Amino acid sequence: MDGMRSPSYIKKLDDLLCGGLIKPSCILIAGSCGVGKTNLCMQSLFNAAKEGERCAYVSLLSESETKITRAMSSFTFYDENLIEDKLKIFSINSDVVAKGDFAIFEYINENILKDKPSRVVIDTMNVLEDIESTFDERPFHKSELRAFVQNLFQEFDENEILLLATGEIPASNINESIWSYIFDTVIVLDIQNDDENNYRYLEIIKERGSDFITGKHKFTITNDGISF
Ligand SMILES: Nc1ncnc2c1ncn2[C@@H]1O[C@H](COP(=O)(O)OP(=O)(O)OP(=O)(O)O)[C@@H](O)[C@H]1O
Ligand SMILES: [Mg+2]
């Protein structure tokens, strides 16, 4: 594919992706809890914002903005001055999520897309597994969830947005997850044991219509964020 490439702003990851992320497209950052999904996404957002890109971080976990920024403030990529100006932080309340598909769509259109951001992070997709139909007030069938997410992604696509979303999916379950076939690109993070040492690794599982470097690549998390 000859789509436009946009850097993840994480050295080495851009090399593994043969130049960067395809824009517009949707990228799943998957892995179990604590592997570094939020850090990776935030590092990409802050660095993109520093380059002048309009960015948005959307929490679906009803976390306060203070809690979200506090977790990031010890990293060197963090810059308070970018928040509000270039990097907007949204937290979709559980009330909105409980109201169902239509309410979420409306919130995203009226709050996030109206700013015309070029890069958006949704943290985490799993929350959407429990959404209901706003009008019928009953849980979604799997096919309805898929249609809802595809419509949502189409909206991002039409707005030329690079969408990164996290998924609480252990590396070993990635192939069975509905999320892995909805997304264009799937990147999985994992922690493995090796002679009593824990190490983190990143693996690109797929990138639709493009080449990438396969294999498990070790990384660490330091004050500078994720580095290989
Ligand atoms: N300054 C730092 N130096 C080293 N490691 C750090 C630092 N700050 C955070 N970490 C590590 O980052 C990890 C958390 O990363 P992150 O919050 O991105 O994970 P996550 O995959 O989003 O988890 P969850 O699924 O719980 O949201 C923790 O395991 C912590 O050890
Ligand atoms: Mg997280």
Side-chain angles (χ1 to χ4, degrees):
M1 188 162 105
D2 298 307
M4 194 183 130
R5 297 271 181 178
S6 195
S8 67
Y9 294 106
I10 293 165
K11 257 202 299 217
K12 174 94 174 183
L13 178 55
D14 287 328
D15 295 341
L16 298 176
L17 291 161
C18 303
L21 300 160
I22 294 163
K23 186 172 182 281
S25 78
C26 50
I27 300 109
L28 178 69
I29 308 295
S32 345
C33 68
V35 286
K37 301 180 296 294
T38 302
N39 294 347
L40 185 151
C41 291
M42 282 294 204
Q43 192 171 342
S44 177
L45 278 191
F46 273 98
N47 289 334
K50 225 160 275 171
E51 295 296 320
E53 259 189 59
R54 210 170 306 161
C55 299
Y57 174 85
V58 185
S59 168
L60 294 181
L61 291 167
S62 296
E63 302 163 297
S64 68
E65 188 179 326
T66 318
K67 191 179 167 192
I68 294 163
T69 52
R70 199 191 307 124
M72 291 301 125
S73 59
S74 66
F75 288 112
T76 54
F77 59 75
Y78 179 82
D79 181 352
E80 195 185 351
N81 299 319
L82 293 171
I83 296 171
E84 279 316 304
D85 179 25
K86 288 291 177 197
L87 202 174
K88 290 228 162 81
I89 294 176
F90 298 91
S91 185
I92 304 188
N93 207 279
S94 49
D95 304 352
V96 175
V97 179
K99 277 186 200 145
D101 60 333
F102 187 77
I104 297 171
F105 221 98
E106 199 174 49
Y107 180 95
I108 289 177
N109 266 300
E110 287 174 7
N111 295 280
I112 299 152
L113 299 180
K114 97 169 191 310
D115 271 352
K116 298 263 170 237
S118 84
R119 185 176 302 230
V120 174
V121 167
I122 297 180
D123 198 3
T124 128
M125 290 306 282
N126 299 68
V127 174
L128 299 177
E129 286 170 3
D130 301 320
I131 62 168
E132 302 203 337
S133 159
T134 301
F135 298 111
D136 300 342
E137 294 184 23
R138 55 155 181 85
F140 260 4
H141 300 302
K142 238 185 185 165
S143 59
E144 289 172 311
L145 174 63
R146 191 180 165 140
F148 166 74
V149 174
Q150 278 167 341
N151 285 333
L152 195 65
F153 286 0
Q154 200 180 327
E155 199 81 358
F156 282 89
D157 200 74
E158 283 163 8
N159 285 280
E160 297 283 315
I161 291 169
L162 179 65
L163 174 67
L164 289 148
T166 65
E168 195 92 31
I169 307 152
S172 53
N173 297 352
I174 195 72
N175 293 323
E176 287 75 48
S177 168
I178 57 153
W179 298 117
S180 55
Y181 44 85
I182 295 180
F183 280 84
D184 298 319
T185 299
V186 177
I187 297 172
V188 68
L189 309 182
D190 199 10
I191 299 179
Q192 282 197 346
N193 287 315
D194 172 20
D195 305 327
E196 292 165 14
N197 290 314
N198 286 329
Y199 69 88
R200 296 171 197 271
Y201 78 81
L202 174 150
E203 183 174 14
I204 302 168
I205 305 293
K206 70 162 182 182
E207 188 177 36
R208 223 169 251 159
S210 170
D211 203 12
F212 59 86
I213 296 167
T214 55
K216 298 177 177 186
H217 305 274
K218 279 190 192 181
F219 71 91
T220 55
I221 304 178
T222 66
N223 285 341
D224 294 328
I226 281 170
S227 56
F228 290 82

